[in-house]
Structures are given as structure tokens and as C-alpha cells.
Amino acid sequence: MAQGDLRSPEAILADTDVRQLIDFSQPVAVLIVAVLHFVADADRPYEAVRTIVDALPSGSYLVLSQSTPDEVPDDVTVAMKDAYSGASAQVFPRSSEEIARFFDGLELVDPGLVNVTLWRPDRPSDTPRRSLIYGGVGLKP
């Protein structure tokens, strides 16, 4: 593990520990899970993710999850934001369309960008549970 700040992707990629742990000449998987909803648009999250993906060789994967206001009542989204209002990091939920932008140029793996409860559910159901998070896996061609 190497500690870094997603808002400074160049520093993460240049980190000595990262370079010792990861062979960037071989396909790798990058997990950006439950992080992006703490990165404001002003901190350029799309550029940060793109910088990391651009550094990956063909055949690599991006695994990403992000909170969303989709499929939930507005009061739930307000409550989610309120819960973090006094925290050191605010929360910035994004719509499925906004989250999909993180996968630009990648091939989404089935089932695509979906509510995380639909990713490999233990027991398929006619009424699947829902969470406040979308997730997806993209393959770099």
C-alpha cells in the first residue's frame, strides 16, 4: 500500500513505493472505491482519474464506485450531505451520467455501471436491494 491524495495523481504515480510495488509495463487494476464522492468538482476528479488511467498499460482495469443521488428521494440525498456537513470531507454525490464520465475511453465490463447491489448479487431477486452507490469496472483497450 502507498498513501496518496487522489487530487494529486501525478504524485501518486511518481511515488517510489508505488513504483516499487506496481510494474506499469504489465496490466494492473486500479481501485478507486468509495473515494470520489469526497472529491469536489473544483478539485478536478475527472482529470485525476484520467491521469491515472492514461498511465496504465492496455489490458488494465479501473474499478470505481461513487455515491449517487439517483434512485433515492431528495430527502435522502439531503440527509447524506448533512451527515458530512461537519466532517473533514464533504460529500459530492454524482448522477450515473456524471459517474460514467470516469470510464470514458474504457470498455465497461458487464453488468456495466450499475447500483453496486446489482454487481454479482448473491441471490438474484425480483426486487433487488438498492444502495446509494454506483459501481463499475472498465477495461483499458
Side-chain angles (χ1 to χ4, degrees), residues 25-56:
S25 70
Q26 300 293 317
V28 299
V30 172
L31 284 68
I32 304 177
V33 177
V35 174
L36 287 165
H37 43 252
F38 297 114
V39 181
D41 286 342
D43 289 321
R44 304 179 358 247
Y46 297 103
E47 291 176 35
V49 171
R50 177 57 38 209
T51 298
I52 292 171
V53 169
D54 287 349
L56 304 177

Side-chain angles (χ1 to χ4, degrees), residues 3-5 7-19 51:
Q3 187 171 339
D5 186 334
R7 296 170 296 181
S8 301
E10 296 87 356
I12 293 171
L13 294 168
D15 184 272
T16 305
D17 291 337
V18 170
R19 289 292 172 180
T51 298

